[in-house]
Amino acid sequence: MTYTTSLAKGQALREETLALIQYWEPGMDAETLAQAAVERNLLAKFTALRSLDIVKRIFAKRYLIDDAQPARVLKTLTELQASPRWITQVLLLYTTRFHHILHDYITQVYWPKYEAGAATLSRDDAEDFIESAYHEGHIETRWSATMRVRVARYLNNALVEFGYADDASGRDKALRTFIITPQMVVFLAYELHQRGVSDTHMLTHRDWQLFGLEPNDVYRQLDLAAAHGHLLIQYAGDLLRAEWTYSSLDHVLHALTR
């Protein structure tokens, strides 16, 4: 994966994304939404130019892809008043699919430190990660010192927004326990199924790593979901077969928010 500096432009933008989702309607393109963001002051704390930049260069690339399915999912979840924690984890999923650097920072830095019993995450951890990424070929041209500091800061800030850490004194963030919601398990598994990921390959998909789940953990989570009637699973050796109770992703969202 090649890393870019786009996270420095977008960060997590959790509250801003939800404000845009509230106004967005299916069929609305980025240009129309960007104009509305300015005219209706949807992103009140940002200038008009910054609002345009957020909608066109960040929101659209995270949520208006694949026939705007991410935006449709979030729109449905907010209208159905899904739990804030589940919505945040859906935002995390779509954000990290666009910003590969954030996905890998979570899986390669946060989880190893958490599992080793570390209490905090520092900006030095983030800067070291960026430096290693350059040497490993994930960054094509070495970023300036200023940009490295900016991206390092935004990596750690994103972890706070998504619930992996709390602000602590100075440059450190206090690590929190991060647990996938039962709704997210079912949603992510069905969404991967819908995207054409085979049942067996679903267990090893990189998206589960965001939640600290290894293949055996994923199977246990799916087995629990099956016990609640969301799907039927058969697992023999390394082969998984799943039969779903639901006929569409929208069906899943409505069932999980009843």
Side-chain angles (χ1 to χ4, degrees):
M1 298 287 187
T2 300
Y3 301 158
T4 71
T5 60
S6 59
L7 187 67
K9 296 180 179 295
Q11 306 174 57
L13 292 177
R14 181 185 178 280
E15 296 304 322
E16 292 79 6
T17 296
L18 295 177
L20 292 170
I21 284 292
Q22 186 173 11
Y23 183 82
W24 179 85
E25 295 292 342
M28 185 180 294
D29 62 15
E31 186 64 38
T32 303
L33 182 60
Q35 291 176 1
V38 174
E39 294 170 1
R40 296 176 178 269
N41 198 28
L42 299 179
L43 304 177
K45 69 180 183 180
F46 294 111
T47 64
L49 185 60
R50 175 67 172 138
S51 294
L52 291 172
D53 196 51
I54 287 173
V55 174
K56 293 181 179 180
R57 301 182 66 178
I58 302 300
F59 182 92
K61 293 181 179 180
R62 292 179 186 174
Y63 307 109
L64 298 185
I65 60 172
D66 301 330
D67 194 30
Q69 178 170 290
R72 292 171 187 270
V73 166
L74 288 166
K75 184 76 172 180
T76 300
L77 289 178
T78 55
E79 289 178 344
L80 294 174
Q81 298 183 322
S83 74
R85 189 158 154 251
W86 180 21
I87 290 175
T88 296
Q89 292 186 0
V90 173
L91 289 168
L92 165 71
L93 175 69
Y94 293 132
T95 300
T96 54
R97 283 181 178 172
F98 178 57
H99 300 289
H100 301 302
I101 188 173
L102 180 57
H103 176 283
D104 291 352
Y105 185 59
I106 291 168
T107 60
Q108 296 174 23
V109 180
Y110 166 83
W111 279 112
K113 286 183 72 71
Y114 176 83
E115 289 166 358
T120 61
L121 193 66
S122 70
R123 194 179 303 168
D124 288 340
D125 291 319
E127 291 186 42
D128 289 344
F129 168 76
I130 292 169
E131 185 68 12
S132 295
Y134 169 71
H135 290 293
E136 292 168 4
H138 295 296
I139 297 172
E140 295 178 349
T141 303
R142 194 171 203 165
W143 298 341
S144 68
T146 300
M147 182 56 70
R148 290 197 300 272
V149 169
R150 284 186 63 195
V151 175
R153 182 169 68 250
Y154 293 142
L155 283 169
N156 283 347
N157 288 346
L159 263 59
V160 172
E161 280 204 65
F162 286 126
Y164 290 93
D166 290 319
D167 275 319
S169 60
R171 295 155 57 94
D172 294 345
K173 308 296 181 185
L175 299 188
R176 296 178 60 187
T177 300
F178 188 89
I179 300 174
I180 192 170
T181 65
Q183 297 93 336
M184 189 65 187
V185 171
V186 179
F187 165 77
L188 177 53
Y190 190 89
E191 198 257 10
L192 292 173
H193 164 74
Q194 184 188 60
R195 292 173 63 203
V197 177
S198 72
D199 293 341
T200 297
H201 289 156
M202 182 195 304
L203 295 176
T204 58
H205 197 277
R206 72 194 300 265
D207 286 340
W208 297 109
Q209 298 170 16
L210 293 167
F211 308 96
L213 300 179
E214 299 293 336
N216 286 339
D217 301 319
V218 178
Y219 170 72
R220 284 192 289 270
Q221 291 283 351
L222 293 178
D223 192 42
L224 185 60
H228 286 84
H230 298 296
L231 74 164
L232 298 173
I233 59 172
Q234 294 178 321
Y235 192 49
D238 293 329
L239 299 178
L240 175 74
R241 181 180 178 185
E243 295 182 10
W244 285 93
T245 306
Y246 308 112
S247 58
S248 68
L249 193 58
D250 193 60
H251 189 186
V252 172
L253 299 177
H254 280 77
L256 293 175
T257 49
R258 285 188 188 133

